[in-house]
């Protein structure tokens, strides 16, 4: 049963606790994140709207990273449909880094290998939620069978303005989107 993330944009306050929890759990170096919270605005004064997007690996049904990996280091886990990475097979070619339309895989210079979100495989094996889900104070993130998440949250989408075309990879995400996230002319807010 394919697993994925639900993200409730209407509940997210942009606090980045999910991003920090992921960074801490994965002991990532400065400048590297597997879950990234970005802020956006749309409109013109006095009719301005903002939203936050918490993005990570979308554990796509048709992942571009898996398609280009020459050594099978990036693969789909047959048990839960998540996209995983095997360090013992990675040759550091960065094909996955360049192929992913979401910019998810990260090349770690110090070990000369690529790494990515594995939906906290080791935590889930112990029956726990991924670190980002467990840390969110607003409960804006959930992880589980994507079909069940979509059924529980029927008004979700897998495409918002700031994301690449979903038909490229069929991401396993269900986003409770704010109206602003579906509008054109969205601008990133740099903090």
């Amino acid at each position: 049963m394919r697993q994925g993330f639900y993200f409730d944009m209407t509940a997210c306050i942009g606090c980045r606790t999910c991003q920090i929890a992921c960074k801490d759990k994965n002991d990532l170096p400065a400048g590297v994140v597997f879950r990234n919270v970005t802020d956006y605005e749309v409109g013109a004064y006095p009719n301005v709207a903002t939203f936050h997007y918490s993005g990570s690996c979308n554990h796509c049904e048709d992942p571009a990273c898996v398609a280009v990996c020459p050594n099978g280091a990036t693969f789909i886990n047959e048990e839960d449909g998540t996209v995983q990475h095997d360090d013992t097979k990675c040759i550091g070619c960065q094909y996955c880094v360049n192929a992913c339309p979401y910019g998810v895989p990260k090349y770690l210079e110090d070990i000369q290998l690529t790494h990515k979100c594995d939906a906290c495989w080791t935590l889930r094996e112990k029956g726990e939620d991924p670190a980002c889900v467990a840390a969110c104070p607003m409960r804006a993130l959930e992880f589980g069978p994507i079909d069940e998440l979509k059924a529980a949250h029927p008004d979700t989408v897998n495409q918002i303005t700031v994301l690449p075309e979903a038909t490229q990879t069929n991401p396993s995400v269900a986003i409770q989107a704010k109206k602003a996230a579906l509008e054109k002319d969205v601008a990133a807010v740099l903090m």
Side-chain angles (χ1 to χ4, degrees), residues 29-188:
V32 177
V33 293
F34 290 166
R35 177 164 288 281
N36 191 28
V37 178
T38 47
D39 309 300
Y40 298 93
E41 66 183 6
V42 63
Y45 179 82
N47 300 312
V48 178
T50 62
F51 64 93
H52 312 286
Y53 179 67
S54 175
S56 185
C57 181
N58 294 317
H59 300 286
C60 302
E61 186 174 9
D62 303 310
C65 59
V66 171
V68 299
C69 184
N71 224 29
T74 305
F75 62 97
I76 297 175
N77 180 318
E78 292 180 16
E79 286 181 43
D80 65 4
T82 58
V83 178
Q84 299 293 323
H85 185 266
D86 182 345
D87 284 359
T88 65
K89 293 182 179 179
C90 183
I91 57 173
C93 67
Q94 301 182 56
Y95 288 176
C96 59
V97 173
N98 296 321
C100 177
Y102 300 99
V104 169
K106 305 295 183 202
Y107 182 71
L108 302 180
E109 194 70 48
D110 59 333
I111 60 172
Q112 297 185 348
L113 296 175
T114 301
H115 276 228
K116 60 173 284 306
C117 160
D118 63 2
C120 292
W121 178 256
T122 55
L123 292 178
R124 291 186 298 119
E125 281 186 315
K126 295 188 269 185
E128 298 176 33
D129 282 329
C132 58
V133 173
C136 180
M138 302 307 292
R139 298 295 165 241
L141 289 168
E142 294 177 26
F143 184 83
I146 194 63
D147 291 338
E148 290 178 19
L149 291 172
K150 287 178 180 179
H153 308 283
D155 296 330
T156 58
V157 297
N158 68 354
Q159 178 71 59
I160 59 174
T161 301
V162 298
L163 295 179
E165 181 58 45
T167 57
Q168 290 181 52
T169 61
N170 295 313
S172 297
V173 294
I175 303 167
Q176 190 71 51
K178 284 186 170 181
K179 183 178 178 281
L182 303 173
E183 295 181 19
K184 305 254 184 265
D185 299 322
V186 172

Side-chain angles (χ1 to χ4, degrees), residues 12-20 37 39 52 135-138:
C12 179
I13 59 173
C15 68
R16 292 173 171 67
T17 303
C18 58
Q19 181 176 307
I20 294 166
V37 178
D39 309 300
H52 312 286
C136 180
M138 302 307 292

